Amino acid sequence: MNKSTDKQSRRVIISGGGTGGHIYPAIAIADALRAADPTTEILFVGAEGKMEMEKVPKAGYRIVGLPIVGIKRAVSLDNVAFPVKLTRSLLKARSVLRTFRPDVAVGVGGFASGPLLMVASLLGVPTLIQEQNSHAGLTNKLLARRASTICVAYPGMEKFFLQRKIKFLGNPVRRDIIDSGSKRAEALTRFGFEENRKTLFVMGGSLGALSINESISAGLKQIIGAGYQVLWQTGKAYIEKAREVVAHVDSGRVKVFDFIYEMDLAYAVADVVVSRAGALSVSELCLAAKPCILVPYPAASEDHQTKNAQNLTRQNAARLMPDNRAASELVEAAIQLLGDEPKQMELKQNIAKLARPNAAAEIAQEVLKLIP
């Protein structure tokens, strides 16, 4: 494949998405590439109809969508269309690659990264994979055979990938998260919270989490009655129900949103966090150094969220709450941790040790090394 003849302008394609756990690391890598060389041309490739088609342009980057979909685990008529959509995605990926002529292709996981990186490698484009989780996903395991470099966030990934290809660099996270500790006053004003009350920040990832949302709904009066305030990100599917619950509680100490873009301020105001255990959330919690209760999503591929959470709990850096116990135990555990400042400090100190603040910049350098 012919490379760009303009030596002043490097061209990088970044593919993947589906959830914030793939999208925001991709954006962090793009930002780091631009910081290293502002002339770099960057094109994102995502899956049509997925959230990256909205979030990436908001971050200031151009994106092209592929018609790719995932295979349903259960028997489904949707699986009949998969071969057709895969074929169309491979053809479109080839067209995008021939038009854009990238010097390197980066895959961050998600539906779109499979077709794009597969075709890129066949066309002779160097490829880099960024695996966020402690258990490699199927797409990345397949792509790894032809990848030049594989950047990982957890030790022990040689059980999935060739050791000589692995770079242990951590997960790329937006710079504003790293600086969130200095923004508490701004965050209190932004969310309208009282300075002298402890704040519980509840989030279920970019798409929301039903078990967490239902647990908080059932126990919201209990949390408020204990004297705390709540910042609650529900995801779009649960926002109307949550607003009804908050109205019924009738307390100004609960702020509810379907999605929070100012995550730096959300972490800044939080004393304790309840969260899913996706790779991005875990990496952000490490950087923000927040005491947390992790509720792994049990249906995640290869149960990788449980493995992510266990990696922290083994180091006394977080508490783990199984999803099937959330309804009966989550609220009480959150109230207990909010009232235990020595435990908060212990978790805070231990989780901070796991942070990798320079991951995005270091991954960007690995990308640039692959450009001939």
Side-chain angles (χ1 to χ4, degrees), residues 55 62 67 72 97 160 171 179 196 214 225 234 260 338:
K55 306 300 183 189
R62 186 162 63 96
K72 307 286 186 185
L97 286 159
F160 304 110
N171 275 324
D179 302 328
N196 296 322
E214 289 183 338
T234 66
I260 298 174
L338 282 161

Side-chain angles (χ1 to χ4, degrees), residues 4-14 30 33-34 37-44 61-62 99-104 367-368 371:
S4 169
T5 57
D6 183 358
K7 297 300 182 183
Q8 300 304 310
S9 180
R10 295 156 164 165
R11 296 182 179 182
V12 180
I13 272 188
I14 302 177
L33 285 167
R34 283 274 174 85
D37 181 357
T39 69
T40 302
E41 293 183 43
I42 298 172
L43 176 66
F44 279 77
Y61 296 98
R62 186 162 63 96
T99 301
F100 186 69
R101 292 178 299 151
D103 297 297
V104 61
V367 173
L368 296 175
I371 297 178

